[in-house]
Amino acid sequence: RQGDTIRVQLNAHDDPTATVALPVADEALERWLRPTLLECADHPSVQAAVREAIGDATDGREVATRLLRYVFVTLDKGSGPVASPNAAEILRDGMGDCSEHAVLFTTLCRAAGLPARRLSGYALVGNMWGSHAFCEIWLGRWIGADPTTNELGTKARYIAFGWSDDPDSYPG
């Protein structure tokens, strides 16, 4: 830190060779596979969206790529009519900001058997930092994913504060 300037070194959050076969069945990752109130992976509309988006793909990286694309092209950008909607409501309304994109993507991943979790932090767009919600998926290691921008493997322009589903992950 020098005065009002803080220098941060950022690294890309990806391994282009990382992948897993789906569904992932690892007890240590079960928490990141189960449905929640927001991530209602067992809802019929979510199950239908997963089938539509991934077809017969079972490779984790390919499934993630298809789900990112699905969320990116399906949702209009902007706040929807429901505050803090669950994934089924997001699908129904067809719109959302980065938070809704992250909820829907995480839910679809979990429904497909791919461990996923939401992150909050900052992202750099151009030369401006802003609050942002994005994700991580398990491809043999945690890999960044941004459904708002359709990116698998987050570039060195994200700072994560913690996982939205785990308030204890925020170190203060």
Side-chain angles (χ1 to χ4, degrees), residues 12-15 18 28-33 110 114-119 135-145 154 163:
H13 193 49
D14 190 16
D15 174 355
L29 298 169
E30 187 276 330
R31 170 185 188 184
W32 308 112
L33 285 163
R110 290 179 181 193
L114 179 62
R117 57 192 185 187
R118 295 176 294 125
L119 290 146
C135 306
E136 287 180 319
I137 56 171
W138 179 260
L139 295 177
R141 61 173 283 207
W142 289 106
I143 302 293
T154 49
W163 296 278

Side-chain angles (χ1 to χ4, degrees), residues 70-146:
Y70 180 85
V71 172
F72 183 75
V73 301
T74 300
L75 296 186
D76 291 332
K77 308 292 188 263
S79 297
V82 177
S84 300
N86 66 32
E89 293 167 327
I90 295 165
L91 278 170
R92 179 196 68 210
D93 298 336
M95 67 184 314
D97 61 19
C98 59
S99 296
E100 284 79 21
H101 282 71
V103 167
L104 182 57
F105 176 71
T106 302
T107 303
L108 294 172
C109 286
R110 290 179 181 193
L114 179 62
R117 57 192 185 187
R118 295 176 294 125
L119 290 146
S120 65
Y122 283 123
L124 179 64
V125 178
N127 64 353
M128 299 292 295
W129 287 96
S131 296
H132 192 51
F134 46 104
C135 306
E136 287 180 319
I137 56 171
W138 179 260
L139 295 177
R141 61 173 283 207
W142 289 106
I143 302 293
D146 189 343

